[in-house]
Amino acid sequence: MNKNNSEILSAVQKFGTPSYIYDGEKLVQNYKNLVNALPECVDVFYALKVNPNVSLVKLLRSNGACTEVCSITEMEIALKAGSTPEDIVYLGPCKKDYELKKAIELNIFAIVIESEIELKRVSAFAKEMDIIANVAIRINPDFSAEGSPWKMGGRPTHFGIEEQHAIENFQVYLDTPNINVRGIHVYNGTNILEAKSVYENTKYILELYETIVRKYNCKFTMVDVGGGMGVPYFQNQEELDTQEFRNLMVPLFTNFNKKYPETRIIMESGRLIIGTSGCMAVQVNNMKTNHGKIFAVTDGGTNCHSAAAGSGRVVKRNFPMENISALPTAQEHKYQVSGPLCSPDDIIGRNIQLKEINVLDILLVKLSGAYGPTSSPGLFHSHGYPAEILLYQGESYLIRSKDSTDDIINKQIMVDFKKNELILN
Ligand SMILES: Cc1ncc(COP(=O)(O)O)c(C=O)c1O
């Protein structure tokens, strides 16, 4: 995020807190940096699960990004943002019938198949519609990505078909009626900071592609190697070395492309593109000292940003934070920064050193563009989704309004009980 604090403060004053603020220029730059670190034969697919805001997707799409979606709603967002079906891949372990039918009907580039049962379902629907459905077989490899804190492959998961089983049975997939198997998909893990690890992972997948092509003498038109490139959130972590990444990945992909020029090479990325482009702004509503610690209580915590609160992590470490209301000369103190929930775990800054905090100050949680509100329990205490703001080309845009009380209550249905049912005895 390269926007200055006064720009951020004035956007927050205009649109309120809790809110997510994105730097449009940084978002585009991150995307371009990734594209430039890869040879031309690779297409970058932005993963909407990481942040599905339609304006952000539109900005990426207008700069050339393709899209990877995991639900029909994400697919509609991608289309609304300007994506065309041939630049969409659709995956996810639980696709509903209507979602599969819609994807087949739209003729997207590939439905990524997560199981043999799913392949049969797609085949049956495509037959009903008299269409050939384009698919890729997702493989859960025997290999797992080094350096990923969240491994998706090389262990029992609900993703994809096991490598050995897939290799043995691939002819069945190729022979399935109304199915065009474009190739394979592997996504092995997220938040990898070592270029070498992404390289090893990709090399493994390209070799797996070759094993299958050779064994079955088939022609593929796609290989999706996932990605998982990360962002350094915590002290002592270093960002992915782009030069090393480039030096390793360019020859790997270029050689592959020479051998298989008809194969579209896909890399999926979310966190690397958007993680550093966003921050969360929260307002301090209450201050107190409790058992010797100073607490700053803010209007957005786990409910808006469960990653910053360390949900799912045994060791809780702080995302970088700043008090942007403090004067530069203010003294620093050690704080516990909490959210608004009645949960002792709702802490987004533990023993964190920040410039003196006062009630109404605005605190920023940085590096927060990825996996923010969409992967947080937003309805806890019925607080709802925070606002989202885009700063781009000197303008500030509200790109999602904060959920209002009506937004939340109107989704609930109050039953008009018959009189007798309310009398218990
Ligand atoms: C299949 C798949 N693709 C893409 C992504 C996005 O990954 P990242 O944010 O690490 O780029 C994920 C994240 O879990 C994923 O599961």
Side-chain angles (χ1 to χ4, degrees), residues 143-149 151 192-194 197-198 201:
F143 169 89
S144 75
E146 280 304 309
S148 169
K151 292 189 183 9
I192 304 168
L193 292 169
E194 295 89 30
S197 172
V198 182
N201 184 43

Side-chain angles (χ1 to χ4, degrees), residues 139-159:
I139 296 180
N140 179 349
D142 294 342
F143 169 89
S144 75
E146 280 304 309
S148 169
W150 290 282
K151 292 189 183 9
M152 324 270 285
R155 64 182 188 89
T157 65
H158 51 304
F159 310 115

Side-chain angles (χ1 to χ4, degrees), residues 47 49-50 68 91 138 152 185 187 190-191 228-229 268-271 371:
K49 63 175 76 59
V50 181
E68 178 259 298
L91 52 96
R138 180 168 184 176
M152 324 270 285
H185 169 287
Y187 181 86
T190 184
N191 210 24
M229 291 77 73
E268 296 175 9
S269 178
R271 194 190 300 272
Y371 302 102

Side-chain angles (χ1 to χ4, degrees), residues 345-401:
D345 268 351
D346 187 24
I347 302 287
I348 50 172
R350 292 178 164 77
N351 296 318
I352 190 164
Q353 200 75 23
L354 292 170
K355 290 222 154 75
E356 180 166 321
I357 301 178
N358 291 294
V359 169
L360 299 185
D361 280 357
I362 302 294
L363 309 185
L364 287 190
V365 183
K366 300 181 180 181
L367 305 180
S368 297
Y371 302 102
T374 41
S375 49
S376 302
L379 286 178
F380 201 3
H381 290 197
S382 301
H383 285 299
Y385 213 97
E388 293 186 295
I389 302 162
L390 173 64
L391 304 179
Y392 188 55
Q393 295 179 331
E395 303 280 340
S396 63
Y397 303 93
L398 183 67
I399 57 171
R400 179 181 178 119
S401 52

Side-chain angles (χ1 to χ4, degrees), residues 38 60 103-104 106 153 156 162 174 184 210 238 250 276 280 301 320 332 337-338 347 363 366 402:
L38 294 166
L60 289 169
I104 298 168
L106 278 169
E162 268 183 78
L174 294 169
I184 60 166
E210 289 210 284
E238 279 184 31
V250 170
T276 57
M280 178 175 79
E332 288 200 347
V337 181
S338 86
I347 302 287
L363 309 185
K366 300 181 180 181
K402 181 179 158 21

Side-chain angles (χ1 to χ4, degrees), residues 153-169:
R155 64 182 188 89
T157 65
H158 51 304
F159 310 115
I161 301 171
E162 268 183 78
E163 178 176 331
Q164 288 314 316
H165 183 85
I167 294 175
E168 289 308 308
N169 292 281

